[in-house]
Amino acid sequence: MTQGKPFGMTLASGLWLAAGLGLAVGLAWLAWPRPLKVEIGLVDRGPVAQTLVDEGRTRIHDVFTLVAPVGGDLRRITLHAGDPVARGQVVATLGPADPVLLDTRAAAAADATVSAARASLAAAEADADLARRDQARIARLAGEGYASRAALDAADAALRAARARLAARQAELRSAQAQAGRPAAVARGVTEVRSPVEGRVLRLIQESGGVVPASAPLLEIGDPNDLEVVADFLSQDATQVQRGADAVLEGWGGERPIPAKVLRVEPYARTRISALGVEEQRVSIVLGLVEPKTAPRLGHGFRVDVRITLEAVANAVRVPADALVRQGEGWAVFRVEAGRARLTPVKTGIGDDRHRVVISGLKPGDKVVVFPSASLKEDARVTY
């Protein structure tokens, strides 16, 4: 009769064996590489535009600065910024300024100058009267044959010279009176300043009344409908911009971009200091509104963001720009196929902030990993 092992020992061995197998399976499961969770983007078709963006300012094309044509007492301007004005409308009025007050010594000298001018005028009047009588007498004698033609010509010339000296002395007296501040010598006329165009008051430079010199700026007038935008771009960017290029104005305070066109690229670059203290060469690019009558109302000197289109493709195969990674001198993407990331070289064209044009390597509908991490490798298992 054979003697076997106890049943209890056989059961314990089986339990230990099962536990060991379970532990091995658990460790293998823990060690098995898990799929990397990624974010997916889709290759599709749509518009792609390469653009340049910079800050710009609106300005009225023709701004008229009205100045005082003569010195005088400016009456307070009743217009305000934004008020409409018609062509030829009186916008400012200047009257004669009060005579300048003189100190005692200057007043005495001015009075003496006036007195001397009056004396010179009296002498000139006497000479002119004598010359007139001599000319009349010689003319009568010449008519009777008692005076020669030469004597008559001399008398005529003497009369003309006396009258010229009289006019000069009269002018000297008026000048002396004006220098002395005589109210009688100051003209009492009123000078009106009129608007040369129809438009609106942009800015009052001299709102309050008071004495102003000739050529003093008074106010600015312009037509808000004749609006343009000027933006300073880096010179290396401005070389890519062509006249007539499409553009939009953004950041003006509304949601809808305002269509615009490039009118001209100025040929002169200016040195500007950036916020970081770096010298930059900036070129002014001037744009006009495509539909100025229906565009939102903007004023002179408003800030906007100018986006100029350099090149555009209407219906391109495009890939999210955030999916591109460097591969040598070119670009590649991690294309997701059958749960694995396949590093796929691609040839790209122009791009914008969100997409790049795909020339080769991908087709619409392909799924690609966007924002790929450094741990993502070729043929890695992924999930999304």
Side-chain angles (χ1 to χ4, degrees):
M1 189 171 183
T2 351
Q3 185 175 359
K5 292 183 180 179
F7 176 76
M9 292 182 60
T10 303
L11 180 60
S13 300
L15 290 175
W16 279 107
L17 180 60
L21 289 174
L23 180 60
V25 171
L27 292 175
W29 181 82
L30 290 175
W32 193 264
R34 296 180 180 179
L36 184 66
K37 190 172 182 60
V38 296
E39 184 178 347
I40 293 298
L42 193 66
V43 178
D44 62 357
R45 283 188 173 274
V48 178
Q50 183 180 357
T51 60
L52 291 175
V53 183
D54 216 312
E55 182 179 316
R57 290 287 187 276
T58 61
R59 69 183 184 189
I60 293 176
H61 185 270
D62 294 317
V63 176
F64 295 86
T65 301
L66 305 188
V67 301
V70 296
D73 186 10
L74 173 68
R75 298 175 185 176
R76 183 177 179 85
I77 300 176
T78 58
L79 294 171
H80 299 86
D83 287 350
V85 292
R87 183 184 181 92
Q89 177 181 337
V90 177
V91 295
T93 304
L94 294 116
D98 293 333
V100 180
L101 298 177
L102 304 176
D103 58 34
T104 304
R105 184 168 57 182
D111 288 340
T113 303
V114 172
S115 298
R118 283 177 176 159
S120 297
L121 176 61
E125 289 174 343
D127 291 343
D129 184 62
L130 177 60
R132 179 180 56 79
R133 291 197 301 270
D134 286 345
Q135 192 275 341
R137 182 173 58 255
I138 294 175
R140 186 177 64 255
L141 293 174
E144 295 174 356
Y146 295 106
S148 65
R149 182 62 187 179
L152 179 59
D153 291 342
D156 290 339
L159 178 59
R160 290 193 299 271
R163 287 174 175 173
R165 286 192 295 272
L166 175 61
R169 298 300 175 265
Q170 289 172 340
E172 289 175 357
L173 176 60
R174 289 193 296 270
S175 176
Q177 289 175 331
Q179 293 293 332
R182 295 290 186 270
V186 180
R188 289 300 176 184
V190 173
T191 303
E192 295 178 338
V193 180
R194 298 179 179 272
S195 173
V197 294
E198 179 180 358
R200 290 183 179 273
V201 177
L202 303 179
R203 184 166 66 106
L204 290 180
I205 302 174
Q206 186 74 34
E207 182 176 0
S208 301
V211 178
V212 296
S215 300
L218 305 178
L219 71 164
E220 292 180 350
I221 292 176
D223 184 3
N225 292 323
D226 188 16
L227 198 69
E228 63 184 17
V229 180
V230 59
D232 290 339
F233 283 81
L234 292 172
S235 58
Q236 57 265 38
D237 291 337
T239 57
Q240 306 176 60
V241 179
Q242 300 295 324
R243 181 178 180 180
D246 293 328
V248 292
L249 307 182
E250 303 169 335
W252 54 272
E255 296 181 358
R256 180 172 63 90
I258 304 174
K261 286 274 189 184
V262 174
L263 298 180
R264 63 182 178 274
V265 179
E266 295 187 354
Y268 181 81
R270 301 170 179 83
T271 302
R272 296 283 188 268
I273 306 299
S274 70
L276 300 177
V278 179
E279 283 191 0
E280 299 175 339
Q281 294 303 113
R282 293 275 176 171
V283 176
S284 294
I285 297 179
V286 182
L287 305 95
L289 303 184
V290 174
E291 299 176 350
K293 294 184 178 180
T294 59
R297 184 168 296 278
L298 301 175
H300 185 74
F302 284 28
R303 179 199 174 281
V304 294
D305 292 327
V306 177
R307 183 181 295 273
I308 300 175
T309 300
L310 301 180
E311 188 178 353
V313 180
N315 188 29
V317 177
R318 58 186 188 177
V319 62
D322 297 324
L324 295 171
V325 294
R326 271 294 179 186
Q327 187 183 45
E329 297 296 325
W331 294 99
V333 297
F334 284 100
R335 181 169 54 88
V336 177
E337 183 180 3
R340 292 188 177 274
R342 310 293 187 186
L343 187 61
T344 306
V346 293
K347 186 177 181 181
T348 61
I350 65 170
D352 55 24
D353 296 338
R354 299 177 58 189
H355 298 93
R356 293 289 294 269
V357 171
V358 176
I359 299 176
S360 64
L362 295 171
K363 63 182 184 300
D366 286 345
K367 297 177 181 179
V368 294
V369 178
V370 295
F371 304 110
S373 65
S375 60
L376 183 61
K377 304 298 181 182
E378 163 67 13
D379 205 35
R381 295 175 61 235
V382 294
T383 184
Y384 51 89

